[in-house]
């Protein structure tokens, strides 16, 4: 990071400082830290304090040293503060390193126990924090939600792009700190997304055929009439009812088959329209980033072409992940977090994150 960027980091913007002071003015209970918490085991069964996790905990220590004196966090009113750590595995352990997360969060009075800053673990899980911030290590999905998935494509809804924070790109109010300021995802091209929709439509058509195979077979009325006669000896009323249902079904068979054929044809028409749409596009159009619009196949309408629509993205296969050293710090995502029922904390927490020294966190990349 150059000297200009470093000097900018040292001075808070007026809006950031105002947010922190505004929150501090309402403080009723501050500097009350509960004992640190940690998930007892990683999600692949190792204890959270396993010796192999030392590099991850060392990186978390750097964040904790910044979090505990953070003025925005200390100014949260009516909370008890707590650091929570978790060590996770990757969903692709052969390609990406182990993940971890550390949260610095404030919990409201409904989670408190005793007078010594205690927090009920059960209540904390049920209610969640009022506010706080977190660092996710080696997690490329912290700012994204999965939107589509099959054996050929996993597509994610990209988080909203924000103003850079201390020079780092921001998505969904999270600073993404990667090597050479890279992000670990890339746009899904229009052609690839339309190909996914085509596969999805083919799956719907195959499911329809399996589900309706029996209903499309000619109904055996003669067989049901023979069955009714066997029943008649024991229960004439039941036999008459069986005959009525069977004859009604046969009488309506042509109409029902026509309705089924129509519903199947709608699936076929959609599939053919997808293929026509792809075939009509130039190579340049197919290579453009896919953005979610309201037109056919969720493509932008002419009126939406110039609007800042959300993009679909996928993991960038060229991002330099190193899975050999599974605790090497290769990506950090620093996020403000607020409970949905406490939206007033959102801006002050984003200001609190902006006050962190992101350069010292970026130095953890190795």
């Amino acid at each position: 990071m150059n000297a200009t960027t470093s000097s900018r980091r040292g001075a808070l913007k007026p809006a950031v400082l105002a947010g922190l002071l505004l929150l501090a003015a309402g403080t009723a209970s501050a500097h009350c830290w509960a004992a640190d918490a940690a998930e007892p085991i990683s999600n692949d069964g190792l204890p959270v304090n396993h010796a192999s996790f030392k590099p991850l905990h060392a990186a978390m220590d750097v964040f904790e040293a910044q979090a505990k004196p953070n003025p925005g966090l200390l100014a949260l009113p009516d909370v008890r503060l707590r650091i929570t750590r978790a060590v996770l595995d990757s969903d692709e352990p052969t390609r990406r390193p182990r993940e971890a997360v550390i949260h610095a969060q404030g919990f409201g009075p409904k989670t408190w126990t005793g007078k010594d800053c205690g927090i009920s673990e059960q209540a904390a899980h049920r209610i969640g924090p009022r506010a706080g911030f977190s660092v996710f290590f080696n997690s490329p999905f912290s700012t994204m939600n999965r939107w589509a998935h099959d054996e050929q494509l996993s597509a994610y809804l990209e988080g909203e792009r924000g103003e850079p924070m201390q020079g780092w790109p921001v998505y969904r109010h999270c600073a993404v700190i990667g090597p050479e300021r890279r992000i670990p995802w890339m746009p899904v091209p229009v052609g690839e997304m339309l190909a996914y929709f085509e596969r999805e439509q083919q799956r719907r058509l195959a499911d329809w055929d399996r589900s309706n195979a029996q209903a499309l077979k000619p109904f055996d009325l003669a067989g049901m009439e023979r069955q009714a006669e066997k029943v008649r000896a024991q229960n004439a009323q039941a036999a008459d009812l069986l005959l009525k249902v069977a004859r009604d079904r046969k009488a309506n068979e042509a109409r029902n088959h026509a309705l089924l054929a129509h519903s199947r044809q709608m699936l076929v028409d959609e599939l053919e329209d997808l293929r026509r749409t792809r075939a009509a596009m130039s190579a340049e159009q197919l290579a453009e980033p896919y953005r979610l619009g309201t037109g056919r196949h969720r493509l932008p309408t002419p009126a939406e072409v110039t609007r800042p629509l959300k993009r679909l993205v996928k993991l960038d296969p060229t991002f330099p992940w190193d899975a050999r050293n599974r605790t090497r710090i290769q990506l950090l995502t620093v996020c403000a977090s607020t409970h949905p029922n406490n939206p007033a904390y959102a801006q002050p927490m984003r200001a609190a994150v902006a006050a962190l020294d992101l350069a010292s966190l970026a130095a953890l990349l190795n």
Side-chain angles (χ1 to χ4, degrees), residues 146-156 193 196 200 203:
R146 193 160 78 174
W147 198 84
H149 173 76
D150 70 0
E151 69 283 353
Q152 296 185 44
L153 175 67
S154 291
Y156 302 85
M193 202 64 224
Y196 167 83
E200 186 71 4
R203 285 188 284 269

Side-chain angles (χ1 to χ4, degrees), residues 2-30:
N2 59 37
T4 302
T5 305
S6 179
S7 65
R8 287 175 182 161
R9 189 184 66 243
L12 292 178
K13 293 180 179 179
V16 171
L17 185 58
L20 295 177
L21 292 175
L22 179 64
L23 190 59
T27 301
S29 175

Side-chain angles (χ1 to χ4, degrees), residues 2-161:
N2 59 37
T4 302
T5 305
S6 179
S7 65
R8 287 175 182 161
R9 189 184 66 243
L12 292 178
K13 293 180 179 179
V16 171
L17 185 58
L20 295 177
L21 292 175
L22 179 64
L23 190 59
T27 301
S29 175
H31 301 80
C32 186
W33 284 92
D36 286 8
E39 296 295 332
I41 59 173
S42 68
N43 64 346
D44 58 342
L46 293 175
V48 75
N49 59 354
H50 193 271
S52 66
F53 300 163
K54 285 185 67 175
L56 293 171
H57 285 294
M60 292 189 218
D61 290 342
V62 173
F63 170 71
E64 184 169 340
Q66 286 198 47
K68 287 202 167 177
N70 182 275
L73 196 64
L74 295 177
L76 286 173
D78 296 316
V79 298
R80 290 179 177 178
L81 302 168
R82 189 179 71 176
I83 296 287
T84 305
R85 302 183 181 207
V87 178
L88 315 167
D89 201 3
S90 165
D91 63 340
E92 289 186 304
T94 60
R95 195 171 80 85
R96 295 202 310 275
R98 188 177 288 278
E99 299 179 13
V101 61
I102 179 170
H103 307 287
Q105 297 168 322
F107 293 85
K110 291 183 179 180
T111 68
W112 297 357
T113 62
K115 298 181 179 180
D116 59 350
C117 289
I119 293 174
S120 164
E121 192 63 37
Q122 184 178 16
H125 274 293
R126 186 179 72 255
I127 300 172
R130 283 190 167 182
F133 44 66
S134 309
V135 176
F136 297 87
F137 298 87
N138 298 332
S139 174
F141 305 114
S142 305
T143 65
M144 302 186 296
N145 294 324
R146 193 160 78 174
W147 198 84
H149 173 76
D150 70 0
E151 69 283 353
Q152 296 185 44
L153 175 67
S154 291
Y156 302 85
L157 193 62
E158 186 178 45
E160 299 85 354
R161 187 75 183 262

Side-chain angles (χ1 to χ4, degrees), residues 273-331:
D273 188 69
L274 275 163
R275 290 170 175 166
R276 284 194 299 269
T277 299
R278 284 183 70 198
M281 288 185 169
S282 66
E284 291 77 13
Q285 289 173 316
L286 293 171
E288 290 178 359
Y290 182 88
R291 300 184 306 140
L292 281 174
T294 60
R296 291 283 292 152
H297 316 308
R298 296 301 304 271
L299 290 165
T301 64
E304 293 172 330
V305 168
T306 60
R307 295 180 187 174
L309 304 174
K310 288 180 179 287
R311 300 194 309 177
L312 290 185
V313 296
K314 60 182 180 178
L315 292 186
D316 183 352
T318 70
F319 190 83
W321 293 114
D322 177 11
R324 294 169 299 175
N325 184 348
R326 304 224 57 228
T327 55
R328 177 182 166 193
I329 309 301
Q330 299 168 60
L331 180 75

Side-chain angles (χ1 to χ4, degrees), residues 217 307 337:
K217 291 180 179 179
R307 295 180 187 174
S337 59

